[in-house]
PDB file of all heavy atoms in Angstrom:
ATOM      1  N   PRO A 116     -11.692 -36.856  14.427  1.00 97.00           N
ATOM      2  CA  PRO A 116     -11.502 -35.999  13.237  1.00 97.00           C
ATOM      3  C   PRO A 116     -10.581 -36.643  12.207  1.00 97.00           C
ATOM      4  O   PRO A 116      -9.563 -36.086  11.837  1.00 97.00           O
ATOM      5  CB  PRO A 116     -10.905 -34.720  13.832  1.00 97.00           C
ATOM      6  CG  PRO A 116     -10.262 -35.123  15.110  1.00 97.00           C
ATOM      7  CD  PRO A 116     -10.941 -36.364  15.601  1.00 97.00           C
ATOM      8  N   SER A 168      -1.406 -39.937   2.508  1.00 98.00           N
ATOM      9  CA  SER A 168      -2.318 -39.278   3.442  1.00 98.00           C
ATOM     10  C   SER A 168      -2.251 -37.772   3.162  1.00 98.00           C
ATOM     11  O   SER A 168      -1.567 -37.328   2.224  1.00 98.00           O
ATOM     12  CB  SER A 168      -1.934 -39.609   4.883  1.00 98.00           C
ATOM     13  OG  SER A 168      -0.803 -38.872   5.278  1.00 98.00           O
ATOM     14  N   GLY A 169      -2.954 -36.996   3.952  1.00 98.00           N
ATOM     15  CA  GLY A 169      -3.035 -35.559   3.703  1.00 98.00           C
ATOM     16  C   GLY A 169      -1.687 -34.864   3.704  1.00 98.00           C
ATOM     17  O   GLY A 169      -1.431 -33.946   2.909  1.00 98.00           O
ATOM     18  N   THR A 170      -0.795 -35.311   4.580  1.00 98.00           N
ATOM     19  CA  THR A 170       0.518 -34.668   4.698  1.00 98.00           C
ATOM     20  C   THR A 170       1.302 -34.764   3.387  1.00 98.00           C
ATOM     21  O   THR A 170       2.051 -33.848   3.036  1.00 98.00           O
ATOM     22  CB  THR A 170       1.309 -35.306   5.862  1.00 98.00           C
ATOM     23  OG1 THR A 170       0.486 -35.247   7.039  1.00 98.00           O
ATOM     24  CG2 THR A 170       2.601 -34.565   6.139  1.00 98.00           C
ATOM     25  N   GLY A 171       1.122 -35.848   2.660  1.00 98.00           N
ATOM     26  CA  GLY A 171       1.778 -35.983   1.349  1.00 98.00           C
ATOM     27  C   GLY A 171       1.318 -34.880   0.407  1.00 98.00           C
ATOM     28  O   GLY A 171       2.116 -34.309  -0.346  1.00 98.00           O
ATOM     29  N   MET A 173       0.285 -31.967   1.375  1.00 99.00           N
ATOM     30  CA  MET A 173       0.895 -30.721   1.875  1.00 99.00           C
ATOM     31  C   MET A 173       2.341 -30.617   1.388  1.00 99.00           C
ATOM     32  O   MET A 173       2.789 -29.573   0.917  1.00 99.00           O
ATOM     33  CB  MET A 173       0.864 -30.695   3.415  1.00 99.00           C
ATOM     34  CG  MET A 173      -0.538 -30.631   3.999  1.00 99.00           C
ATOM     35  SD  MET A 173      -0.554 -30.863   5.809  1.00 99.00           S
ATOM     36  CE  MET A 173       0.032 -29.264   6.385  1.00 99.00           C
ATOM     37  N   PHE A 195      -1.359 -28.370  12.912  1.00 98.00           N
ATOM     38  CA  PHE A 195      -1.303 -28.497  11.451  1.00 98.00           C
ATOM     39  C   PHE A 195      -0.751 -27.248  10.791  1.00 98.00           C
ATOM     40  O   PHE A 195      -0.123 -27.322   9.739  1.00 98.00           O
ATOM     41  CB  PHE A 195      -2.651 -28.976  10.912  1.00 98.00           C
ATOM     42  CG  PHE A 195      -2.942 -30.340  11.457  1.00 98.00           C
ATOM     43  CD1 PHE A 195      -3.850 -30.527  12.492  1.00 98.00           C
ATOM     44  CD2 PHE A 195      -2.218 -31.429  11.017  1.00 98.00           C
ATOM     45  CE1 PHE A 195      -4.047 -31.779  13.059  1.00 98.00           C
ATOM     46  CE2 PHE A 195      -2.406 -32.689  11.575  1.00 98.00           C
ATOM     47  CZ  PHE A 195      -3.323 -32.866  12.588  1.00 98.00           C
ATOM     48  N   ARG A 198       2.766 -27.794  10.968  1.00 98.00           N
ATOM     49  CA  ARG A 198       3.251 -28.749   9.955  1.00 98.00           C
ATOM     50  C   ARG A 198       3.679 -28.020   8.679  1.00 98.00           C
ATOM     51  O   ARG A 198       4.666 -28.383   8.047  1.00 98.00           O
ATOM     52  CB  ARG A 198       2.177 -29.811   9.662  1.00 98.00           C
ATOM     53  CG  ARG A 198       2.690 -30.927   8.773  1.00 98.00           C
ATOM     54  CD  ARG A 198       1.863 -32.175   8.887  1.00 98.00           C
ATOM     55  NE  ARG A 198       1.832 -32.693  10.248  1.00 98.00           N
ATOM     56  CZ  ARG A 198       1.136 -33.764  10.630  1.00 98.00           C
ATOM     57  NH1 ARG A 198       0.446 -34.451   9.732  1.00 98.00           N
ATOM     58  NH2 ARG A 198       1.138 -34.171  11.880  1.00 98.00           N
ATOM     59  N   THR A 242      -4.581 -22.878   7.259  1.00 98.00           N
ATOM     60  CA  THR A 242      -5.317 -24.114   7.565  1.00 98.00           C
ATOM     61  C   THR A 242      -6.799 -23.768   7.656  1.00 98.00           C
ATOM     62  O   THR A 242      -7.173 -22.903   8.451  1.00 98.00           O
ATOM     63  CB  THR A 242      -4.827 -24.682   8.912  1.00 98.00           C
ATOM     64  OG1 THR A 242      -3.400 -24.680   8.915  1.00 98.00           O
ATOM     65  CG2 THR A 242      -5.342 -26.084   9.161  1.00 98.00           C
ATOM     66  N   ALA A 244      -9.514 -25.700   8.640  1.00 98.00           N
ATOM     67  CA  ALA A 244      -9.983 -26.104   9.966  1.00 98.00           C
ATOM     68  C   ALA A 244      -8.776 -26.664  10.712  1.00 98.00           C
ATOM     69  O   ALA A 244      -8.217 -27.693  10.315  1.00 98.00           O
ATOM     70  CB  ALA A 244     -11.073 -27.158   9.858  1.00 98.00           C
ATOM     71  N   GLU A 245      -8.348 -25.959  11.748  1.00 98.00           N
ATOM     72  CA  GLU A 245      -7.190 -26.402  12.541  1.00 98.00           C
ATOM     73  C   GLU A 245      -7.708 -27.477  13.496  1.00 98.00           C
ATOM     74  O   GLU A 245      -8.322 -27.194  14.527  1.00 98.00           O
ATOM     75  CB  GLU A 245      -6.568 -25.203  13.256  1.00 98.00           C
ATOM     76  CG  GLU A 245      -5.409 -25.494  14.163  1.00 98.00           C
ATOM     77  CD  GLU A 245      -4.289 -26.359  13.582  1.00 98.00           C
ATOM     78  OE1 GLU A 245      -3.421 -25.868  12.855  1.00 98.00           O
ATOM     79  OE2 GLU A 245      -4.303 -27.560  13.903  1.00 98.00           O
ATOM     80  N   THR A 246      -7.486 -28.715  13.111  1.00 98.00           N
ATOM     81  CA  THR A 246      -8.086 -29.850  13.811  1.00 98.00           C
ATOM     82  C   THR A 246      -7.601 -29.978  15.255  1.00 98.00           C
ATOM     83  O   THR A 246      -8.298 -30.534  16.096  1.00 98.00           O
ATOM     84  CB  THR A 246      -7.759 -31.154  13.041  1.00 98.00           C
ATOM     85  OG1 THR A 246      -7.857 -30.879  11.643  1.00 98.00           O
ATOM     86  CG2 THR A 246      -8.706 -32.266  13.375  1.00 98.00           C
ATOM     87  N   ASP A 271      -4.696 -25.702   3.601  1.00 98.00           N
ATOM     88  CA  ASP A 271      -4.844 -27.079   4.072  1.00 98.00           C
ATOM     89  C   ASP A 271      -6.314 -27.257   4.432  1.00 98.00           C
ATOM     90  O   ASP A 271      -6.792 -26.734   5.433  1.00 98.00           O
ATOM     91  CB  ASP A 271      -3.932 -27.286   5.298  1.00 98.00           C
ATOM     92  CG  ASP A 271      -4.290 -28.543   6.096  1.00 98.00           C
ATOM     93  OD1 ASP A 271      -5.214 -29.277   5.705  1.00 98.00           O
ATOM     94  OD2 ASP A 271      -3.624 -28.774   7.125  1.00 98.00           O
ATOM     95  N   VAL A 273      -7.580 -30.341   4.690  1.00 98.00           N
ATOM     96  CA  VAL A 273      -7.618 -31.789   4.922  1.00 98.00           C
ATOM     97  C   VAL A 273      -8.849 -32.143   5.753  1.00 98.00           C
ATOM     98  O   VAL A 273      -9.584 -33.070   5.421  1.00 98.00           O
ATOM     99  CB  VAL A 273      -6.309 -32.292   5.587  1.00 98.00           C
ATOM    100  CG1 VAL A 273      -6.448 -33.730   6.052  1.00 98.00           C
ATOM    101  CG2 VAL A 273      -5.139 -32.174   4.620  1.00 98.00           C
ATOM    102  N   SER A 274      -9.096 -31.384   6.824  1.00 95.00           N
ATOM    103  CA  SER A 274     -10.246 -31.773   7.636  1.00 95.00           C
ATOM    104  C   SER A 274     -11.496 -30.931   7.373  1.00 95.00           C
ATOM    105  O   SER A 274     -12.551 -31.221   7.871  1.00 95.00           O
ATOM    106  CB  SER A 274      -9.904 -31.767   9.130  1.00 95.00           C
ATOM    107  OG  SER A 274      -9.821 -30.450   9.615  1.00 95.00           O
ATOM    108  N   ALA A 294      -7.842 -34.609   1.664  1.00 98.00           N
ATOM    109  CA  ALA A 294      -7.548 -36.043   1.752  1.00 98.00           C
ATOM    110  C   ALA A 294      -8.845 -36.833   1.841  1.00 98.00           C
ATOM    111  O   ALA A 294      -9.926 -36.270   2.047  1.00 98.00           O
ATOM    112  CB  ALA A 294      -6.669 -36.323   2.966  1.00 98.00           C
ATOM    113  N   HIS A 296      -9.893 -39.275   4.003  1.00 98.00           N
ATOM    114  CA  HIS A 296     -10.429 -39.921   5.215  1.00 98.00           C
ATOM    115  C   HIS A 296     -11.098 -38.988   6.211  1.00 98.00           C
ATOM    116  O   HIS A 296     -11.154 -39.300   7.400  1.00 98.00           O
ATOM    117  CB  HIS A 296      -9.314 -40.712   5.896  1.00 98.00           C
ATOM    118  CG  HIS A 296      -8.088 -39.898   6.191  1.00 98.00           C
ATOM    119  ND1 HIS A 296      -7.339 -39.333   5.212  1.00 98.00           N
ATOM    120  CD2 HIS A 296      -7.498 -39.550   7.361  1.00 98.00           C
ATOM    121  CE1 HIS A 296      -6.320 -38.677   5.751  1.00 98.00           C
ATOM    122  NE2 HIS A 296      -6.409 -38.785   7.064  1.00 98.00           N
ATOM    123  N   LYS A 297     -11.612 -37.861   5.724  1.00 98.00           N
ATOM    124  CA  LYS A 297     -12.277 -36.920   6.648  1.00 98.00           C
ATOM    125  C   LYS A 297     -13.697 -36.703   6.138  1.00 98.00           C
ATOM    126  O   LYS A 297     -14.519 -37.603   6.228  1.00 98.00           O
ATOM    127  CB  LYS A 297     -11.478 -35.629   6.688  1.00 98.00           C
ATOM    128  CG  LYS A 297      -9.995 -35.850   6.975  1.00 98.00           C
ATOM    129  CD  LYS A 297      -9.649 -35.556   8.379  1.00 98.00           C
ATOM    130  CE  LYS A 297      -8.178 -35.773   8.629  1.00 98.00           C
ATOM    131  NZ  LYS A 297      -7.757 -35.360   9.913  1.00 98.00           N
TER     132      LYS A 297
HETATM  133  N1  PMP B 705      -4.127 -31.055   8.181  1.00 77.00           N
HETATM  134  C1  PMP B 705      -5.189 -31.164   8.982  1.00 77.00           C
HETATM  135  C2  PMP B 705      -6.021 -29.961   9.232  1.00 77.00           C
HETATM  136  C3  PMP B 705      -5.504 -32.394   9.550  1.00 77.00           C
HETATM  137  O1  PMP B 705      -6.565 -32.508  10.354  1.00 77.00           O
HETATM  138  C4  PMP B 705      -4.690 -33.512   9.273  1.00 77.00           C
HETATM  139  C5  PMP B 705      -5.005 -34.870   9.869  1.00 77.00           C
HETATM  140  N2  PMP B 705      -5.474 -34.887  11.141  1.00 77.00           N
HETATM  141  C6  PMP B 705      -3.594 -33.329   8.448  1.00 77.00           C
HETATM  142  C7  PMP B 705      -3.341 -32.095   7.913  1.00 77.00           C
HETATM  143  C8  PMP B 705      -2.635 -34.445   8.167  1.00 77.00           C
HETATM  144  O2  PMP B 705      -3.229 -35.423   7.455  1.00 77.00           O
HETATM  145  P1  PMP B 705      -2.700 -36.931   7.473  1.00 77.00           P
HETATM  146  O3  PMP B 705      -2.678 -37.395   8.865  1.00 77.00           O
HETATM  147  O4  PMP B 705      -3.710 -37.578   6.609  1.00 77.00           O
HETATM  148  O5  PMP B 705      -1.363 -36.921   6.850  1.00 77.00           O
END
Side-chain angles (χ1 to χ4, degrees):
S168 76
T170 306
M173 294 171 76
F195 297 103
R198 188 159 301 178
T242 313
E245 177 49 81
T246 320
D271 164 2
V273 170
S274 74
H296 54 297
K297 308 259 180 173

